[in-house]
Amino acid sequence: METISLEDAKRVVAAAEKKAADIGCPMDIAVVDGGGNLKAFVRMDDAFLGSVDIAINKAFTAVAFKMPTEDLAKAAQVGEPIFGINTTNDGRVVIFGGGVPLRRGGDIVGAVGVSTGTVPQDQEVAEAGAAAF
Amino acid sequence: METISLEDAKRVVAAAEKKAADIGCPMDIAVVDGGGNLKAFVRMDDAFLGSVDIAINKAFTAVAFKMPTEDLAKAAQVGEPIFGINTTNDGRVVIFGGGVPLRRGGDIVGAVGVSTGTVPQDQEVAEAGAAAF
Amino acid sequence: METISLEDAKRVVAAAEKKAADIGCPMDIAVVDGGGNLKAFVRMDDAFLGSVDIAINKAFTAVAFKMPTEDLAKAAQVGEPIFGINTTNDGRVVIFGGGVPLRRGGDIVGAVGVSTGTVPQDQEVAEAGAAAF
Amino acid sequence: METISLEDAKRVVAAAEKKAADIGCPMDIAVVDGGGNLKAFVRMDDAFLGSVDIAINKAFTAVAFKMPTEDLAKAAQVGEPIFGINTTNDGRVVIFGGGVPLRRGGDIVGAVGVSTGTVPQDQEVAEAGAAAF
């Protein structure tokens, strides 16, 4: 009764790790299942300690709101409709790019979250992970 | 000694659910009593996981500050008087629309909170719920 | 992509409510899905405020450890193997009866949690809810 | 400047996973570094959701107090010297077996934490992981 198997999660993490190595930026990489619960995680050597939480919660956020975190970011800016959403859910909502849903058919069954680089780097690595799903 | 009965709360939830179905947007819907404590909740199929917390806390916020959360939002913007209020109360204060007080006579005896849609959708569904009270 | 539909959750809640009424003990009743996330909740009139949290977290616990909370209780007593487990998971683990898994085929796809009565009453009402699944 | 490399952490996780498969008990497995910060994690298919937190925090605890969590357990029982320690550190201290330090020379440079099985099973799998370090 798993929405995403560990084998699938490891393949996503491995693809993200490879992309992170290719672009020369070590990353924290997390995969959560369709319930937002952690399935697999790695912190690459020299990646940020502070990004353990961010990677895990980017993945949580992408499942929790069924969209990439970069989309959520736009609506959460100052003066935009959901400004302040990042303080809900016990502070687990991350409102910048790097969290990407994992889809099977039309359904979101998990997500990958990446953190340590610039936001475009995090996003690129997360997308590489998701592409391997 | 209930400010709002479960029967009343269920009628509010049912009206909100019906409106959510009518506009084609599944929602998380919460009703709290005059003490801000949860009375009834539903997460419609396909509504956001991350909106469980937000719906409940929109309702809490509307009771806690005796106003619709959309009113609170205006005063909580950058540069406005209560900027930062969303980090008080252990992060339970939600500063965008979708939380609406429930009134009996002139008194606020509870609130309904709705989340998953756009803010106008959340507000519309919360108002439909409140109208059934 | 729901492990348990709202229709199913409502049927469980209704059966638990009926049993609670039959035994003359108003209850807080919660249903969570297979990811431990809240799907439906009611606080019956005169049920405990403090049992909102307990009912929700009994249901969470039954999913999180794939067993009724009464089974977990035995092993969590003083001097027993997992004494102290109730302070893990941010204090969400409830170690007395009233949380019962919901099964489809051999899989646990959710749980019902009940609180306000004595532990045997909570358990009886939770089982009545689960039987309606 | 890593106390434990990701390569080392993965070897520990893999050895623990293999042992868990051998004894027929899927596990949550976490490795933390000498700072107590998460380095690698897997949740095997069918392992407990509630053990994500426990596995990570068993590893944290083993580093935080420089001993296997089973040793800590003895001193944390009712009437013993550090009864209550499990509520310190924001509830991150786990007081039953399954967290084992990783040593290089005489120094503790990390720990492995395992959860889902019985405490002896968790301990056995954690020791298998540590032996691969």
Side-chain angles (χ1 to χ4, degrees):
Chain A
M1 194 56 210
E2 299 280 345
T3 54
I4 178 170
S5 70
L6 180 55
E7 186 182 338
D8 285 339
K10 284 181 173 176
R11 195 172 59 250
V12 170
V13 169
E17 265 193 82
K18 185 177 181 310
K19 174 61 75 175
D22 287 351
I23 67 172
C25 181
M27 294 287 193
D28 293 73
I29 302 161
V31 173
V32 302
D33 66 16
N37 296 299
L38 191 62
K39 190 73 187 170
F41 173 84
V42 299
R43 174 160 52 93
M44 295 172 70
D45 298 335
D46 300 318
F48 290 162
L49 290 185
S51 289
V52 175
D53 173 279
I54 297 174
I56 293 171
N57 284 327
K58 280 182 179 175
F60 165 78
T61 301
V63 163
F65 299 104
K66 299 188 181 186
M67 67 184 76
T69 56
E70 66 175 3
D71 290 4
L72 196 66
K74 293 163 192 162
Q77 291 299 314
V78 172
E80 295 301 319
I82 54 169
F83 172 64
I85 197 173
N86 54 311
T87 59
T88 69
N89 286 274
D90 295 317
R92 297 193 63 193
V93 178
V94 183
I95 55 168
F96 43 90
V100 173
L102 300 174
R103 295 171 187 277
R104 182 177 299 124
D107 294 319
I108 292 175
V109 295
V112 54
V114 174
S115 181
T116 290
T118 62
V119 169
Q121 286 175 319
D122 294 351
Q123 181 67 19
E124 180 181 7
V125 170
E127 287 174 1
F133 182 57
Chain B
M1 194 50 211
E2 299 278 347
T3 55
I4 178 169
S5 70
L6 180 55
E7 186 183 338
D8 284 341
K10 285 181 174 175
R11 196 172 59 251
V12 170
V13 169
E17 265 193 84
K18 185 178 181 311
K19 174 61 76 176
D22 287 350
I23 66 171
C25 180
M27 295 286 193
D28 293 73
I29 302 162
V31 173
V32 302
D33 66 15
N37 298 298
L38 191 62
K39 191 71 187 170
F41 173 84
V42 299
R43 172 159 53 93
M44 294 173 70
D45 298 336
D46 300 319
F48 289 165
L49 291 185
S51 288
V52 176
D53 173 279
I54 296 174
I56 293 172
N57 285 326
K58 280 181 180 175
F60 166 78
T61 301
V63 163
F65 298 105
K66 299 190 180 186
M67 67 184 76
T69 56
E70 66 176 1
D71 289 3
L72 195 67
K74 293 163 194 163
Q77 290 300 315
V78 172
E80 295 301 320
I82 54 168
F83 171 66
I85 197 172
N86 54 312
T87 59
T88 69
N89 287 273
D90 294 319
R92 296 192 63 195
V93 178
V94 183
I95 57 169
F96 42 90
V100 174
L102 300 173
R103 294 170 188 277
R104 181 177 298 124
D107 295 320
I108 292 175
V109 295
V112 54
V114 174
S115 181
T116 289
T118 63
V119 170
Q121 286 175 320
D122 293 351
Q123 182 66 21
E124 180 182 7
V125 171
E127 287 174 0
F133 182 58
Chain C
M1 195 55 210
E2 300 279 344
T3 55
I4 178 169
S5 70
L6 180 55
E7 187 183 338
D8 285 340
K10 284 180 173 176
R11 196 172 59 251
V12 170
V13 169
E17 265 192 83
K18 184 176 181 315
K19 173 62 76 177
D22 287 350
I23 67 171
C25 181
M27 295 285 193
D28 293 74
I29 302 161
V31 173
V32 303
D33 66 15
N37 297 300
L38 191 62
K39 190 74 186 167
F41 172 84
V42 300
R43 173 159 53 92
M44 294 171 71
D45 297 337
D46 299 318
F48 290 163
L49 289 185
S51 288
V52 176
D53 172 279
I54 297 174
I56 292 171
N57 285 327
K58 280 182 179 174
F60 166 78
T61 301
V63 163
F65 300 104
K66 300 188 180 185
M67 67 183 77
T69 55
E70 65 175 3
D71 289 3
L72 196 66
K74 294 163 190 163
Q77 291 300 314
V78 172
E80 294 301 319
I82 53 170
F83 173 63
I85 197 173
N86 55 312
T87 59
T88 68
N89 285 274
D90 294 317
R92 297 193 65 194
V93 179
V94 183
I95 56 169
F96 43 90
V100 173
L102 300 175
R103 294 171 187 277
R104 182 177 297 125
D107 294 319
I108 292 175
V109 295
V112 55
V114 174
S115 181
T116 290
T118 64
V119 169
Q121 287 175 320
D122 293 352
Q123 181 67 19
E124 180 182 7
V125 171
E127 286 175 1
F133 182 58
Chain D
M1 194 50 211
E2 300 279 347
T3 55
I4 179 170
S5 69
L6 180 56
E7 186 183 338
D8 285 339
K10 284 181 173 176
R11 196 171 60 249
V12 170
V13 169
E17 264 192 84
K18 184 176 181 314
K19 173 62 75 176
D22 287 350
I23 67 171
C25 181
M27 296 286 194
D28 293 74
I29 302 161
V31 172
V32 302
D33 66 15
N37 298 298
L38 191 62
K39 191 70 187 172
F41 173 84
V42 299
R43 172 159 53 94
M44 295 172 70
D45 297 335
D46 299 319
F48 290 164
L49 290 185
S51 288
V52 175
D53 174 278
I54 297 175
I56 293 172
N57 285 326
K58 280 181 179 174
F60 166 78
T61 301
V63 162
F65 298 105
K66 299 191 180 184
M67 66 184 77
T69 55
E70 65 175 3
D71 290 4
L72 195 67
K74 293 162 193 162
Q77 290 300 314
V78 173
E80 296 300 320
I82 54 168
F83 172 65
I85 197 172
N86 54 312
T87 59
T88 69
N89 287 273
D90 293 318
R92 297 192 63 195
V93 178
V94 182
I95 57 167
F96 42 90
V100 173
L102 301 173
R103 294 171 188 277
R104 182 176 298 123
D107 295 320
I108 292 175
V109 295
V112 55
V114 174
S115 181
T116 289
T118 62
V119 170
Q121 286 175 321
D122 293 352
Q123 181 67 20
E124 180 182 7
V125 171
E127 287 174 2
F133 183 57

